[in-house]
């Protein structure tokens, strides 16, 4: 084989990338009314400077989606950008004295180049970086929209303070042990004035619209629903009584989802942080209460509420009156009641709530059953709380009601008698968006002693980050230390005022970037209504499950607020969501020392041992990470095999939403498959086949099919081609089963190996052409190179109008899928002697005639008529002499 006919990805990939770029092949088309628009979007990366396999998988999946949509005639928007604010740049500034902006831009340049090596069909003209002022001026503009709508406000809040990073953390950034997700430091509680967005005002909509998102994984919708956590119930008030049992002016209001159980309340319990605790604690209990509060303040929320942790508490000495039955019951504080949820107070109903049950057993509080299962006795709760619905007992005038009805009846009574009201409670809190850090989007307000909070006038945006900043890493935000920056005149009254020095949570920047892509060069607005409405909602969003809650929830919130401000005209930003699985690497671990060993240090993979101690190692697959030495560098794979092989492997190895185990042998396998395709197509081109031969395919096929002139090989080949079209089209519809699509390509290639050479040029050409178009989304460089070869063009010749990537997705010919002939086995006296191709629809008589007329019959019956003929249609004819 000549050297020129070998597959060398390194020789073709970079030059095709360059040519596509020069031809603007991936430019976003202008949309005309009635165009079929398709918006394919990957979650944009943080520019760490290094592309890892998780990124590669994410972007390759989206790229195939975008390429398939283009081939199917859609007008495609496939952009990319950078989630570029955040702590790493600032930490680099503190540790190494580099400028965060310059550091980030370098990383962006490096990653853009790595992305380009993958052959992604991205429209780089729409690239954005959230840290550039031409982007963040609009983040600030949008913040002012929230402020104007009354959806941004300041309040004092007990916040999580990371003493190492010197910043406030959101609850989600604190792990189950109360440590910072980033620095690992034990998080402290501090009271600080913070900015919030009122996402709770949209809690109902964010929940109620979830069923609309049919193209989202069920799991993600459930996670969002749980995060929002809507509970329907009531607030009920228990008057505090004095030592004589008379009502005082003080009352404790509890939130309950089970007002039907109020007759079973045997105590009321407050969160230790509840504001009434200090006032209501009696002298005798004071030291116990103080000690207990101190203990609880050192526990994390997770520790306090975990099901398997013991529930602890102390009585504070006071008593309250049950407003339903007048009973006097004790007031406690306990760790399992949280100050932040509901009213921070709970009525304890041990018979019907498991936590209360455990608590009551521990402190010998009464357990009184007030709900019984229909038709059962009163002791159903023994061993645990009865939490199901049932019928009320020991509940005075409500006895005999079903618990569902009783909820309504008791709430109505409470409302009528002034001791309660219906209440819907959400777990969702308002979104704390302020950060005391430099490398973020400045919050565009000014604080004036006489005017209060004054928005920075729109024409003064952006509020730019100053560059002359000292990064000591100590004492909070560098902006707060830069007097020259924060000292300004009040835009209202001109008096000396103070610029806000907090910056925004980076989730603010990522809550609207997908809108900006629709109109990324707009200098008058973040986006025009026309552009955003014509491209959005995003048709397919692809990203990691780690963003299942916050990023997606915040983006949905932004969308709804901007819709209500008249800035856009749709309810949900992302029509379909694909959460791709992890990329896992082979991992070696010494089970005794717990140390991870790099695969390169394992000399014999069939008997993996610790290179130092000789101990036998554990071997398993786990998400690739630096600390486990199990990562595979995309650049190394591309250098060795090319981007097309990397893409094919990633797509073939597992369905996109499942975890993928990186396996070198399988990568090698994909490389060999591409090599084989190269040989098949290149071989055909050398035999003189050209795309031009395909021109008459339709005519030939139509004529030939009519009078049955396609040879067996030609029929087989056509069937394989049209089966591949049918199956791959199916695999790419909606669910994106790329792995089975690649298997279908393999089957087609096998059929070509068997039948291509024996088929006439028009049919061979149809097969080659189809193979390359179907392959193009997966292995874009190889498909282009071979397409041009078959087209008789060299790489240097103009690509315009001829690229494989601007062809049309083929449609299957149903006639080709039908077998017109089938094999018929001929037996002589029950022994198989050969077979015949016969028309698939031949009847018994015809089959008998064909069998008798065959060479096999002539040879074995020696001209005599058989004594008996047995015909099994579709299978065999047995001739008995
Ligand atoms: C009495 C009761 C009786 C309750 C019963 C449940 C079962 P969700 O569904 O999560 O909203 N609760 C209320 N505020 C609380 C707080 N700040 N900390 C801890 N627990 C709190 O749960 C609502 C239920 O959780 C409420 O209904 C209350 O206990 C408890 F048979 O009230 B229930
Ligand atoms: Zn003022």
């Amino acid at each position: 084989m000549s050297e020129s006919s070998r597959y060398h990805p390194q020789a073709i990939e970079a030059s095709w990338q360059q040519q596509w770029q020069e031809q603007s092949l991936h430019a976003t088309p202008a949309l005309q009314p009635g165009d079929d628009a398709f918006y394919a979007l990957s979650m944009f990366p943080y520019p760490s400077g290094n592309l890892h396999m998780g990124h590669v998988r994410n972007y390759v999946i989206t790229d195939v989606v975008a390429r398939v949509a283009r081939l199917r005639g859609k007008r495609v928007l496939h952009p990319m950008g950078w989630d570029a604010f955040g702590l790493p740049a600032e930490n680099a500034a503190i540790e190494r004295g580099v400028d965060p902006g310059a550091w980030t831009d370098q990383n962006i340049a490096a990653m853009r180049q790595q992305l380009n090596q993958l052959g992604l069909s991205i429209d780089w003209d729409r690239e954005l970086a959230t840290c550039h002022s031409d982007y963040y001026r609009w983040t600030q503009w949008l913040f002012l929209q929230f402020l104007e709508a009354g959806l941004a406000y300041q309040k004092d809040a007990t916040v999580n303070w990371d003493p190492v990073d010197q910043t406030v953390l959101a609850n989600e950034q604190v792990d189950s042990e109360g440590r910072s997700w980033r620095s690992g430091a034990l998080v402290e509680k501090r009271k600080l004035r913070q900015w919030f967005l009122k996402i709770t005002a949209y809690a109902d909509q964010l929940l109620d619209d979830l069923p609309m998102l049919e193209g989202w994984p069920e799991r993600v919708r459930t996670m969002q629903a749980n995060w929002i956590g809507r509970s329907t119930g009531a607030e009920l008030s228990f008057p505090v009584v004095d030592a004589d049992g008379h009502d005082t002016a003080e009352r404790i209001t509890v939130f309950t989802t089970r007002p039907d159980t109020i007759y079973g309340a045997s105590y009321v319990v407050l969160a230790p942080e509840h504001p009434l605790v200090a006032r209501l604690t009696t002298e005798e209990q004071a030291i116990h209460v103080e000690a207990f509060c101190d203990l609880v303040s050192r526990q994390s929320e997770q520790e306090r509420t975990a099901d398997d942790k013991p529930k602890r508490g102390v009585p504070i000495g006071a008593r309250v009156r049950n407003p339903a039955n007048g009973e006097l019951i004790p007031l406690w504080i306990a760790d399992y009641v949280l100050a932040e949820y509901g009213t921070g107070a709970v009525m304890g109903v041990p018979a019907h709530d498991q936590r209360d049950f455990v608590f009551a057993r521990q402190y010998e509080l009464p357990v009184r059953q007030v709900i019984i299962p229909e038709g059962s006795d009163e002791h159903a709760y023994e061993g645990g709380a009865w939490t199901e619905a049932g019928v009320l007992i020991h509940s005075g005038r409500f006895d005999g009601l079903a618990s569902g009805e009783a909820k309504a009846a008791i709430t109505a009574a409470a409302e009528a008698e002034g001791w309660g009201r219906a209440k819907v409670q959400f777990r969702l809190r308002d979104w704390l968006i302020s950060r005391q850090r430099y490398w973020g989007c400045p919050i565009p307000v000014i604080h004036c002693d006489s005017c209060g909070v004054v928005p920075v006038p729109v024409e003064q945006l952006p509020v730019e980050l100053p560059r002359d900043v000292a990064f000591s890493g100590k004492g909070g935000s560098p902006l707060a230390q830069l007097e020259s920056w924060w000292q300004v005149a009040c835009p209202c009254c001109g008096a000396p005022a103070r610029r806000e020095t907090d910056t925004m949570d980076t989730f603010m920047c990522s809550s609207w970037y997908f809108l900006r892509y629709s109109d990324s060069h707009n200098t008058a607005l973040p986006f025009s209504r026309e552009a955003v409405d014509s491209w959005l909602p995003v048709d397919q969003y692809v990203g990691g499950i780690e963003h299942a809650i916050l990023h997606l929830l915040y983006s949905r919130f932004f969308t709804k607020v901007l819709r209500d401000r008249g800035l856009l005209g749709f309810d949900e930003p992302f029509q379909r969501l694909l959460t791709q699985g992890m990329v896992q690497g082979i991992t070696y671990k010494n089970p005794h020392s717990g140390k991870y060993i790099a695969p390169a240090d394992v000399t014999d993979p069939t008997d993996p041992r610790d290179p130092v101690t000789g101990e036998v190692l554990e071997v398993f697959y786990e998400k690739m990470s630096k600390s486990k030495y199990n990562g595979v560098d995309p650049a190394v794979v591309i250098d060795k095999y090319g981007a097309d092989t990397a893409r094919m492997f990633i797509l073939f190895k597992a369905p996109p939403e499942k975890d993928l185990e990186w396996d070198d042998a399988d990568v090698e396998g994909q490389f060999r498959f591409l090599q084989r395709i190269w040989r098949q197509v290149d071989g055909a081109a050398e035999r003189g086949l050209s795309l031009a031969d395909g021109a008459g395919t339709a005519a030939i096929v139509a004529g030939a099919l009519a009078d049955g002139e396609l040879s067996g090989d030609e029929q087989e080949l056509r069937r394989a081609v049209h089966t591949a079209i049918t199956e791959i089209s199916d695999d790419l519809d909606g669910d994106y089963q790329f792995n089975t699509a690649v298997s279908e390509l393999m089957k087609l290639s096998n059929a070509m190996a068997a039948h291509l050479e024996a088929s006439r040029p028009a049919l061979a050409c149809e097969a080659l052409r189809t193979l390359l178009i179907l392959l193009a989304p997966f292995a874009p460089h190889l498909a282009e190179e071979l397409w041009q070869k078959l087209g008789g063009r060299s790489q240097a010749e103009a690509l315009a109008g001829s690229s494989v990537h601007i062809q049309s997705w083929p449609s299957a010919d149903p006639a080709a899928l039908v077998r017109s002939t089938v094999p018929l086995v001929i037996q002589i006296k029950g022994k198989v002697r050969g077979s015949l191709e016969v028309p698939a629809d031949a009847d018994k008589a015809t089959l008998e005639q064909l069998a008798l007329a065959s060479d096999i019959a002539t040879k074995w019956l020696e001209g005599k008529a058989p004594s008996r003929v047995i015909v099994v249609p579709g299978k065999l004819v047995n001739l008995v002499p």
Side-chain angles (χ1 to χ4, degrees):
M1 197 180 300
S2 70
E3 183 59 17
S4 69
S5 69
R6 299 273 307 256
Y7 172 43
H8 283 304
Q10 296 79 0
I12 61 172
E13 291 189 348
S15 59
W16 280 123
Q17 286 155 16
Q18 197 190 332
Q19 285 208 51
W20 294 333
Q21 188 71 28
E22 282 164 13
Q23 303 280 338
S24 302
L25 207 61
H26 310 129
T28 312
L31 282 185
Q32 311 299 331
D35 271 354
D36 199 356
F38 190 94
Y39 187 174
L41 182 66
S42 302
M43 289 183 184
F44 68 164
Y46 177 79
S48 60
N50 260 311
L51 203 66
H52 58 63
M53 276 302 173
H55 291 130
V56 173
R57 191 176 190 196
N58 192 165
Y59 309 136
V60 165
I61 289 170
T62 316
D63 189 54
V64 178
V65 170
R67 288 179 179 280
V68 169
R70 279 196 204 95
L71 289 170
R72 287 183 160 168
K74 310 216 170 182
R75 318 281 278 167
V76 173
L77 168 59
H78 179 208
M80 182 58 76
W82 310 97
D83 188 11
F85 274 134
L87 284 177
E90 191 158 348
N91 289 340
I94 294 165
E95 283 153 26
R96 280 168 278 150
V98 293
D99 174 57
W103 183 84
T104 305
D105 285 343
Q106 267 171 27
N107 286 348
I108 288 176
M111 279 178 86
R112 190 193 299 113
Q113 195 242 335
Q114 294 167 37
L115 280 180
N116 273 326
Q117 289 180 342
L118 290 169
L120 305 177
S121 61
I122 287 166
D123 178 4
W124 285 105
D125 183 53
R126 299 197 178 217
E127 179 182 9
L128 57 83
T130 57
C131 68
H132 292 164
S133 63
D134 58 355
Y135 181 85
Y136 73 67
R137 84 179 272 192
W138 300 115
T139 309
Q140 293 173 340
W141 190 93
L142 290 168
F143 172 88
L144 294 180
Q145 292 280 313
F146 279 81
L147 191 65
E148 197 178 291
L151 293 169
Y153 67 95
Q154 272 186 300
K155 77 170 180 205
D156 280 332
T158 306
V159 295
N160 304 302
W161 179 259
D162 180 334
V164 171
D165 278 341
Q166 300 259 320
T167 189
V168 171
L169 299 174
N171 282 341
E172 314 70 74
Q173 295 170 328
V174 182
D175 70 13
S176 58
E177 282 155 29
R179 290 179 182 278
S180 161
W181 67 308
R182 173 164 291 287
S183 72
L186 266 180
V187 168
E188 300 165 7
K189 298 278 179 201
R190 279 203 191 175
K191 243 194 160 79
L192 287 172
R193 197 151 182 81
Q194 300 291 323
W195 282 98
F196 289 84
L197 290 195
K198 215 183 264 176
I199 190 171
T200 53
Y202 282 75
D204 273 316
Q205 284 187 45
L206 289 167
L207 189 66
D208 293 340
D209 287 351
L210 283 173
M212 217 156 89
L213 302 174
E214 281 165 19
W216 284 36
E218 189 58 50
R219 170 158 85 122
V220 175
R221 287 194 277 168
T222 306
M223 285 162 86
Q224 296 232 333
N226 291 340
W227 188 262
I228 297 165
R230 180 163 61 197
S231 296
T232 310
E235 280 182 357
L236 304 176
S237 292
F238 291 66
V240 179
V241 297
D242 60 21
D244 301 329
H246 298 121
D247 286 9
T248 65
E250 216 77 79
R251 22 173 60 198
I252 305 290
T253 301
V254 303
F255 170 70
T256 179
T257 48
R258 297 293 305 274
D260 53 318
T261 64
I262 188 166
Y263 285 79
S266 40
Y267 60 99
V268 165
V269 56
L270 304 175
E273 301 88 350
H274 195 285
L276 286 178
V277 172
R279 195 149 11 119
L280 298 178
T281 301
T282 58
E283 253 172 65
E284 306 85 69
Q285 289 305 99
I287 67 163
H288 304 296
V289 167
E290 213 171 292
F292 183 73
C293 289
D294 189 52
L295 181 83
V296 172
S297 69
R298 277 180 271 120
Q299 283 184 295
S300 71
E301 186 172 317
Q302 284 82 354
E303 267 177 283
R304 286 172 58 166
T305 50
D307 281 340
D308 54 349
K309 291 272 158 55
K311 313 273 169 276
R312 288 176 298 185
V314 287
I316 69 170
R319 288 181 304 166
V320 296
R321 184 172 60 79
N322 185 330
N325 60 10
E327 201 180 343
L328 300 186
I329 53 177
L331 193 52
W332 284 63
I333 55 175
D335 54 1
Y336 72 94
V337 177
L338 302 172
E340 306 282 310
Y341 187 69
T343 59
V346 174
M347 63 176 189
V349 186
H352 303 293
D353 181 278
Q354 189 56 29
R355 291 169 307 175
D356 297 344
F357 183 85
V358 173
F359 192 77
R361 277 288 141 94
Q362 171 149 349
Y363 295 108
E364 296 176 350
L365 290 157
V367 180
R368 189 192 317 133
Q369 189 168 20
V370 292
I371 312 276
I372 48 166
E374 276 229 64
S376 166
D377 64 19
E378 297 191 19
H379 301 289
Y381 68 83
E382 280 304 334
W386 168 259
T387 58
E388 308 291 312
V391 177
L392 269 68
I393 56 165
H394 299 157
S395 298
R397 53 189 155 139
F398 302 101
D399 276 357
L401 281 184
S403 40
E405 300 163 26
K407 279 183 192 174
I410 291 176
T411 306
E415 254 161 54
E417 293 160 22
W419 47 273
R421 60 187 184 108
K423 168 86 183 173
V424 176
Q425 182 66 47
F426 290 93
R427 206 180 85 88
L428 183 69
R429 309 282 82 191
D430 275 344
W431 173 14
L432 195 172
I433 59 150
S434 43
R435 299 288 181 270
Q436 289 68 49
R437 296 297 297 227
Y438 165 78
W439 193 235
C441 174
I443 295 176
V445 301
I446 287 163
H447 301 274
C448 168
D449 283 342
S450 27
C451 310
V453 169
V454 181
V456 172
V458 174
E459 59 283 1
Q460 286 174 28
L461 297 181
V463 174
E464 294 226 33
L465 277 175
R467 301 305 284 251
D468 49 345
V469 179
F471 294 98
S472 63
K474 306 222 163 52
S477 166
L479 293 178
Q481 291 160 32
L482 199 67
E483 205 171 310
S484 61
W485 186 76
W486 59 252
Q487 220 168 44
V488 287
C490 168
C492 273
C493 70
R498 186 186 164 93
R499 198 184 274 298
E500 174 64 64
T501 58
D502 282 357
T503 52
M504 298 180 206
D505 178 6
T506 55
F507 276 119
M508 286 286 284
C509 313
S510 58
S511 293
W512 75 281
Y513 77 105
F514 47 90
L515 304 172
R516 179 70 177 168
Y517 283 139
S518 72
D519 197 9
S520 50
H521 297 295
N522 197 328
T523 53
L525 282 171
F527 45 81
S528 75
R529 170 94 190 233
E530 193 200 349
V532 81
D533 283 356
S534 56
W535 282 112
L536 279 99
V538 172
D539 292 271
Q540 182 66 59
Y541 199 22
V542 184
I545 188 75
E546 67 275 16
H547 292 302
I549 299 178
L550 296 183
H551 162 61
L552 294 172
L553 193 66
Y554 295 151
S555 300
R556 296 181 60 222
F557 168 49
F558 259 60
T559 301
K560 290 175 194 298
V561 171
L562 302 184
R563 175 203 59 197
D564 291 347
R565 304 281 300 168
L567 292 167
L568 50 81
F570 43 92
D571 296 318
E572 287 286 340
F574 312 119
Q575 192 139 41
R576 299 180 54 86
L577 171 71
L578 190 162
T579 49
Q580 96 260 5
M582 314 258 195
V583 185
Q584 302 181 320
I586 192 156
T587 313
Y588 296 96
K589 185 179 176 183
N590 182 324
H592 304 111
S593 64
K595 277 197 182 122
Y596 290 92
I597 312 292
D601 295 336
V602 176
T603 26
D604 179 4
T606 60
D607 177 27
R609 284 172 185 275
D610 190 311
V612 181
T613 65
E615 290 163 298
V616 176
L617 298 175
E618 276 175 5
V619 190
F620 48 92
Y621 280 93
E622 207 168 280
K623 182 185 177 187
M624 290 184 178
S625 80
K626 279 211 182 79
S627 59
K628 298 189 174 136
Y629 312 109
N630 60 355
V632 175
D633 183 356
V636 172
V637 178
I638 293 172
D639 270 359
K640 186 161 174 203
Y641 298 104
D644 283 342
T645 294
R647 295 171 60 112
M648 292 287 284
F649 164 77
I650 283 174
L651 297 164
F652 177 64
K653 178 74 188 192
E657 64 286 349
K658 293 272 156 52
D659 288 345
L660 177 156
E661 295 176 353
W662 191 273
D663 180 308
D664 289 334
D666 288 348
V667 178
E668 191 73 47
Q670 284 303 316
F671 181 69
R672 279 198 306 270
F673 173 51
L674 292 185
Q675 227 169 6
R676 175 181 194 207
I677 288 187
W678 175 280
R679 281 197 305 268
Q680 287 184 323
V681 183
D682 187 60
E686 296 209 338
R687 288 197 305 278
L689 271 176
S690 137
L691 283 177
D693 296 326
T697 309
I700 292 174
V701 168
L705 275 182
D707 45 1
E709 268 178 12
L710 286 191
S711 71
D713 280 303
E714 289 171 339
Q715 284 182 37
E716 289 298 326
L717 185 63
R718 277 211 98 216
R719 186 159 46 248
V721 167
H722 290 271
T723 303
I725 296 173
T726 311
E727 296 295 324
I728 295 176
S729 302
D730 260 14
D731 291 337
L732 300 181
D733 259 337
D735 268 351
Y736 296 122
Q737 295 308 307
F738 303 123
N739 54 326
T740 50
V742 173
S743 327
E744 291 298 330
L745 285 171
M746 293 170 165
K747 285 189 205 158
L748 175 55
S749 163
N750 286 343
M752 286 170 62
H755 307 292
L756 192 79
E757 288 200 39
S759 297
R760 280 168 286 175
L763 292 142
C765 184
E766 183 192 26
L768 291 164
R769 175 170 213 290
T770 307
L771 173 77
L772 293 181
I773 296 175
L774 295 178
L775 178 71
F778 300 89
H781 311 88
L782 175 64
E784 185 79 287
E785 176 78 13
L786 294 175
W787 182 264
Q788 300 300 337
K789 268 192 178 228
L790 269 188
R793 283 174 293 267
S794 73
Q795 252 200 24
E797 288 174 75
L799 184 62
S802 75
S803 169
V804 68
H805 300 295
I806 59 169
Q807 307 303 314
S808 302
W809 192 255
S811 48
D813 174 2
L817 300 178
V818 185
R819 277 175 174 266
S820 57
T821 66
V822 290
L824 178 76
V825 169
I826 309 289
Q827 298 183 345
I828 306 294
K829 231 176 139 184
K831 275 211 170 112
V832 177
R833 296 299 183 189
S835 81
L836 283 183
E837 278 294 312
V838 298
D841 54 358
D843 60 11
K844 266 187 158 186
T846 317
L847 291 178
E848 183 173 338
Q849 265 180 7
L850 289 168
L852 285 171
S854 68
D855 295 349
I856 305 162
T858 319
K859 175 171 174 205
W860 292 92
L861 298 178
E862 295 164 342
K864 291 185 206 106
S867 65
R868 205 148 53 94
V869 180
I870 303 157
V871 182
V872 185
K875 287 227 171 81
L876 60 85
V877 174
N878 185 7
L879 305 172
V880 184

